[in-house]
Structures are given as C-alpha cells and as structure tokens.
Amino acid sequence: MSSQELPLRVLSVSELCCSPVLQAPLEPDDALALATALKVLADPARLRLLSLIKAADGGRATTGVLADQVGLTQPTITHHLGALYEAGFLERERDGRQTWYWVKPDGLEAVRQLLDPSPARQTI
C-alpha cells in the first residue's frame, strides 16, 4: 500500500489515544486518523454545518433545515454530514423519514487534545 492509499477503515478521531502531536511522535495509524479528521474539518461547508448544528435548538438539526440555512442541496448536505459522522464529529438518529444530527463532543475534544502543546493536567 502506498502512502497515498487509505486503509479500508480509518480510525475515528475519537479513537485516538496518543499524546499531543508536539509532545511525542505520533503512531502511523494515529497520524493518519488525525490527518483525515483535519481534512474533514478543512471544508468551509462542514465547519459551518458543525456550528449550525451546535447552535440549533436542542443542539440537533435535520438535513432539510441545514440545507435551507447553508443554501446547498440536501444530497450535498447529506454527503458533508456523512463525512463528519464517519470522522467521529457527529452522531445521528433516524426518525421516520428524517435524520437528526448532533455534535459529538469526543471528536472535537480529541483533535483539541492532540494539538494542545501543553502537558496534560491531572486532577486530584
């Protein structure tokens, strides 16, 4: 497998278990998972979707509502939400014909912790 090919299953960002990037070397699988997560977040539409979902009433939103707010088609929104879900940034639940999405705090926290150069603080 070349360095450009992705394995069949990339770790979700919330599955990362290594120390911050600036404190110790990343394991290859962790580096791939972090790079994939950052690529998912690097899209302006996806960042906007995360912020709209988080700001929505109850912190949950459906594809239709998001499509109206972002001005993209529902298939495009579904594609972006699927990428955010697969990367571990969203949770979802099917309710009849609608799918509800909400931000999964573990995913964003994992990225924050990996990029945080300060040593982990221990609570007593």
Side-chain angles (χ1 to χ4, degrees):
M1 176 184 297
S2 77
S3 63
Q4 296 298 316
E5 294 178 38
L6 293 178
L8 292 178
R9 181 187 178 282
V10 175
L11 291 174
S12 165
V13 71
S14 61
E15 295 176 81
L16 294 174
C17 60
C18 59
S19 63
V21 173
L22 299 178
Q23 286 186 7
L26 284 173
E27 293 296 323
D29 287 346
D30 290 340
L32 179 59
L34 180 58
T36 301
L38 292 174
K39 285 179 186 178
V40 169
L41 289 178
D43 186 288
R46 293 177 187 161
L47 287 173
R48 185 137 189 258
L49 288 169
L50 278 174
S51 70
L52 288 169
I53 293 168
K54 187 70 174 163
D57 187 31
R60 294 166 50 107
T62 63
T63 307
V65 169
L66 293 168
D68 292 341
Q69 292 178 317
V70 177
L72 298 172
T73 65
Q74 283 193 3
T76 301
I77 295 295
T78 299
H79 167 75
H80 287 306
L81 293 173
L84 288 164
Y85 173 79
E86 291 298 322
F89 294 113
L90 293 178
E91 289 287 351
R92 65 184 176 198
E93 178 180 53
R94 188 100 172 133
D95 181 20
R97 296 179 65 188
Q98 297 187 72
T99 302
W100 289 89
Y101 292 88
W102 61 96
V103 175
K104 183 177 178 181
D106 295 358
L108 295 174
E109 180 61 19
V111 170
R112 187 197 66 74
Q113 286 179 357
L114 283 167
L115 296 176
D116 186 356
S118 62
R121 295 182 185 144
Q122 294 187 7
T123 58
I124 298 176

